[in-house]
Amino acid sequence: MLKLRSGRTLYYGKGDVLTYRTYAKPLSVAAVPESSYTGDSNVIFAHNVTFAVSGEQLLTSFTEGDNSLVVATDSMKNFILRNTAAYEGSTTEGLLAFISRKFMDRYPHIDAVELSADRIPFHTLEVASQAGEGLEPSPLVYRRSHNDHASASMKLVRKDGAPIIESHECAITDLQLIKVSGSSFYGFVRDEYTTLPESYDRPLFIFLDIFWKYDRADDAVDAGLGNYVPAEQIRDITHNVFHEMKSPSIQFLIYQVGRRILTRFPQLAEVRFESNNRTWETIVDNTESDPAGVYTEPRPPFGFQGFTMTQEDLISDGE
């Protein structure tokens, strides 16, 4: 939230700025054992941007109706679109930093910028090879995905006249993962309020958002430094841990995912989870002799979990 030095909240901005950039700089990253992802061609580099500004000199626009220093939100939209074309990097985080710094350079009375972007994912499609040798990815046709997606948020403020990154957070959101066997939930408090039966092997369906911060924000902004962590590798690590573990709870599962992420990426200072239990309601249970079962959507309300981890957790665990 953007505030003035007095502590008063003051901001305005533009949301749902849709930018569809083509042929951005390709991204290349080192592989990790849990993922085949090593980069993105960035043929379609698309985002939904939210952009807000604040400044001491904007106070009179609220208190006196003085618009002399107000940059219209339509102008903000055009600024974002034009400078998306000028961006020479390959990451969402780099795009946010680039647009913010350019905006604060252009409008020196703006003291702070806070912005976020959801990456709009487009996936390649396979088409018949022109050489007649099976299928190959099309370099021209892509499919819009409405599944999990990467995002980032950032706040820049002036320090000694120059914009610096005060805070940042990266994310992959809307993961929806079902494990059909190998999860349990038992041993919890049982008293007069308890109606939930204990479960020793249940299908576990979770909705999951994962957020992370770097120790050095520059590693998020500039993939050329070699420490950029792509959301796709965070996603694939999560898939692997979910597959490997016999988890006694969602809480323990996300802790193990966090440990693996922080181990793989020591350049990250923090990883944060927001999870939601959407485990199906059992209609026909499976048995040892017959694995078939029938389930339906769970009825609300839904349980949720939140958890933050840092590199200190690995130290306390003796790693």
Side-chain angles (χ1 to χ4, degrees):
M1 182 178 294
L2 293 172
K3 293 184 178 182
L4 303 181
R5 288 188 294 272
S6 64
R8 182 199 301 271
T9 298
L10 184 159
Y11 62 89
Y12 78 102
K14 198 77 164 179
D16 286 330
V17 182
L18 299 173
T19 69
Y20 298 95
R21 162 77 185 272
T22 55
Y23 298 103
K25 180 181 178 180
L27 172 67
S28 178
V29 296
V32 297
E34 295 87 355
S35 179
S36 62
Y37 182 87
T38 56
D40 195 314
S41 65
N42 281 338
V43 172
I44 301 180
F45 188 65
H47 296 88
N48 184 339
V49 179
T50 299
F51 187 89
V53 302
S54 182
E56 297 287 342
Q57 296 183 67
L58 295 173
L59 180 59
T60 55
S61 70
F62 287 82
T63 61
E64 301 174 19
D66 175 11
N67 293 329
S68 60
L69 291 176
V70 172
V71 180
T73 62
D74 187 67
S75 301
M76 291 181 183
K77 177 255 301 181
N78 294 333
F79 188 96
I80 293 166
L81 293 172
R82 296 288 181 86
N83 281 280
T84 296
Y87 175 55
E88 297 181 351
S90 58
T91 69
T92 299
E93 296 85 351
L95 175 66
L96 296 184
F98 176 77
I99 290 173
S100 300
R101 286 167 175 156
K102 296 285 281 189
F103 192 89
M104 295 177 77
D105 288 344
R106 177 64 180 82
Y107 303 103
H109 63 285
I110 298 299
D111 296 329
V113 170
E114 191 166 16
L115 73 170
S116 62
D118 290 332
R119 180 79 184 254
I120 303 172
F122 287 84
H123 298 320
T124 56
L125 293 171
E126 289 192 330
V127 295
S129 167
Q130 292 185 356
E133 300 177 356
L135 300 175
E136 63 183 14
S138 169
L140 301 174
V141 181
Y142 294 78
R143 181 183 70 249
R144 167 72 161 93
S145 171
H146 293 275
N147 295 320
D148 51 82
H149 64 276
S151 62
S153 60
M154 195 171 291
K155 180 180 178 181
L156 284 83
V157 299
R158 290 193 187 278
K159 184 175 182 180
D160 300 325
I164 63 164
I165 298 173
E166 183 181 77
S167 61
H168 74 280
E169 188 169 61
C170 313
I172 183 164
T173 56
D174 296 332
L175 282 165
Q176 298 186 17
L177 304 174
I178 173 69
K179 186 174 183 179
V180 296
S181 181
S183 299
S184 60
F185 187 54
Y186 60 88
F188 49 87
V189 172
R190 305 202 67 87
D191 57 22
E192 66 271 28
Y193 299 105
T194 307
T195 58
L196 181 71
E198 294 187 327
S199 175
Y200 296 88
D201 189 11
R202 62 173 179 171
L204 179 59
F205 191 23
I206 61 172
F207 289 8
L208 182 61
D209 298 338
I210 307 175
F211 308 84
W212 58 97
K213 297 177 181 179
Y214 292 76
D215 186 53
R216 297 174 61 252
D218 286 348
D219 286 331
V221 171
D222 184 358
L225 296 175
N227 288 319
Y228 184 72
V229 178
E232 290 82 0
Q233 290 184 351
I234 297 287
R235 174 202 65 200
D236 292 345
I237 286 173
T238 304
H239 295 171
N240 274 261
V241 175
F242 200 10
H243 166 77
E244 296 165 11
M245 282 197 56
K246 293 185 179 295
S247 59
S249 66
I250 297 175
Q251 290 93 318
F252 187 70
L253 172 64
I254 60 178
Y255 181 72
Q256 297 302 320
V257 171
R259 291 178 72 250
R260 184 76 61 88
I261 291 171
L262 291 169
T263 300
R264 288 282 178 258
F265 305 117
Q267 65 269 42
L268 297 185
E270 177 183 297
V271 60
R272 179 170 67 88
F273 298 90
E274 294 179 1
S275 54
N276 191 279
N277 187 351
R278 296 301 181 100
T279 295
W280 296 330
E281 182 179 336
T282 301
I283 303 301
V284 178
D285 208 352
N286 59 7
T287 64
E288 291 185 5
S289 59
D290 184 359
V294 178
Y295 309 89
T296 191
E297 284 292 313
R299 293 168 292 180
F302 304 109
F304 59 85
Q305 300 80 25
F307 194 62
T308 300
M309 299 177 63
T310 69
Q311 293 290 341
E312 292 295 321
D313 286 289
L314 298 185
I315 297 172
S316 63
D317 286 347
E319 295 193 8

